[in-house]
Amino acid sequence: MDQTKQQEEDYGYNLFPERNSGKFQKGSIAESLFTFNHKCQVMLQFAMETSPYAKLLLGAMKSSGCAVYKDRHFSCEDCDGTVSGGFDATSSQIVLCQNNIHQQSHMNRVVTHELIHAFDHCRAHVDWFNNFKHLACSEIRAANLSGDCSFHNEVSRFNFGLKKHHQECVRGRALRSILAVRKVSREEAEKVVDEVFDTCFNDHAPFGRIPHDKKDANFAYRDFENRDRYYANL
């Protein structure tokens, strides 16, 4: 196996074939007429404008000097059937899997999940490719703060009733994400997740809390928007 192919498989690029295929150029006629792509673009715009999770993250990134622009930092593409999205650190771009995202609620969660990775990339200078603990920490944070493990979503998966269920959901989803993009054993991935779990699970930036549902996210967004008001009135 050549080095390029090995690199693609090790870092999960094989799950996003359009990252390397150059099948069609962004903004082409073929793309604009492609139904999945158009629907993806519409749902993305709606998520950016209405989701309190996404709006808070976009605001936090802008405040950190990493403003996000829809046309530059998001790309709707066809992906492997096992993934819904990804963050490409080499291009600072979020990939949204247009063939796998069909509902607005799903789009909102994927956009939020990947924006958390983008936020970590901005503020923490994550070494995605060489530091396994950095990757594990960001995956824990994304699972914890994106709503992936909300009560509603877990009930829809028939997963509920366990003690400390939220923590176990976060741990499990972080582990699955790591195994999807790295060629490592489950035992190795579990070991790294366990090593960083407590620290990363309790890092709630930029929300300031775990937004368990949309109501929590709205409160967090309100607090973020009002963060400077007290000092401005002194």
Side-chain angles (χ1 to χ4, degrees):
M1 182 180 295
D2 64 54
Q3 187 176 0
T4 301
K5 183 67 173 177
Q6 181 67 46
Q7 184 180 31
E8 289 176 8
E9 291 194 357
D10 284 349
Y11 298 140
Y13 281 97
N14 57 310
L15 301 176
F16 307 96
E18 289 189 28
R19 295 278 89 188
N20 297 303
S21 68
K23 183 161 44 177
F24 53 75
Q25 295 296 315
K26 192 172 181 65
S28 67
I29 295 176
E31 182 181 14
S32 65
L33 295 178
F34 190 46
T35 304
F36 278 171
N37 186 271
H38 176 71
K39 182 178 180 180
C40 177
Q41 296 287 347
V42 170
M43 289 195 295
L44 167 61
Q45 186 67 41
F46 191 79
M48 294 177 71
E49 292 177 353
T50 66
S51 167
Y53 294 88
K55 290 195 295 182
L56 192 156
L57 285 158
L58 291 168
M61 291 189 67
K62 184 177 181 180
S63 295
S64 299
C66 300
V68 176
Y69 301 99
K70 178 174 176 282
D71 291 339
R72 162 64 182 86
H73 294 108
F74 291 93
S75 180
C76 291
E77 302 176 7
D78 284 340
C79 310
D80 181 274
T82 63
V83 293
S84 299
F87 176 68
D88 185 354
T90 60
S91 61
S92 297
Q93 194 168 52
I94 289 171
V95 181
L96 301 170
C97 299
Q98 60 193 18
N99 55 318
N100 298 330
I101 303 173
H102 304 296
Q103 296 180 336
Q104 186 63 52
S105 59
H106 189 191
M107 174 63 80
N108 292 351
R109 291 197 306 276
V110 175
V111 168
T112 302
H113 184 110
E114 303 307 336
L115 277 173
I116 292 169
H117 290 320
F119 176 77
D120 288 347
H121 186 69
C122 170
R123 66 153 187 167
H125 307 293
V126 178
D127 186 351
W128 300 98
F129 303 111
N130 300 305
N131 193 317
F132 205 0
K133 289 183 179 180
H134 285 190
L135 171 65
C137 188
S138 191
E139 290 296 354
I140 290 166
R141 282 176 32 76
N144 189 28
L145 301 173
S146 66
D148 285 347
C149 289
S150 69
F151 178 76
H152 177 269
N153 287 330
E154 282 296 273
V155 168
S156 70
R157 302 175 188 127
F158 302 101
N159 296 327
F160 49 87
L162 299 176
K163 186 177 180 180
K164 293 189 175 181
H165 180 74
H166 181 76
Q167 289 92 324
E168 291 308 309
C169 173
V170 169
R171 190 186 302 272
R173 293 188 73 81
L175 184 62
R176 286 193 291 275
S177 293
I178 292 167
L179 291 174
V181 299
R182 293 293 183 274
K183 298 297 183 182
V184 296
S185 69
R186 186 178 184 88
E187 291 73 20
E188 183 181 357
E190 287 177 341
K191 181 176 183 293
V192 176
V193 168
D194 287 343
E195 288 175 354
V196 301
F197 187 83
D198 288 344
T199 298
C200 301
F201 182 82
N202 290 303
D203 179 0
H204 303 152
F207 293 92
R209 70 192 80 187
I210 299 175
H212 289 287
D213 53 30
K214 189 174 181 179
K215 183 178 180 180
D216 282 345
N218 273 314
F219 280 129
Y221 179 61
R222 180 200 63 190
D223 290 346
F224 174 80
E225 287 288 279
N226 294 333
R227 66 195 183 282
D228 297 325
R229 183 170 296 177
Y230 171 78
Y231 298 102
N233 291 328
L234 287 179

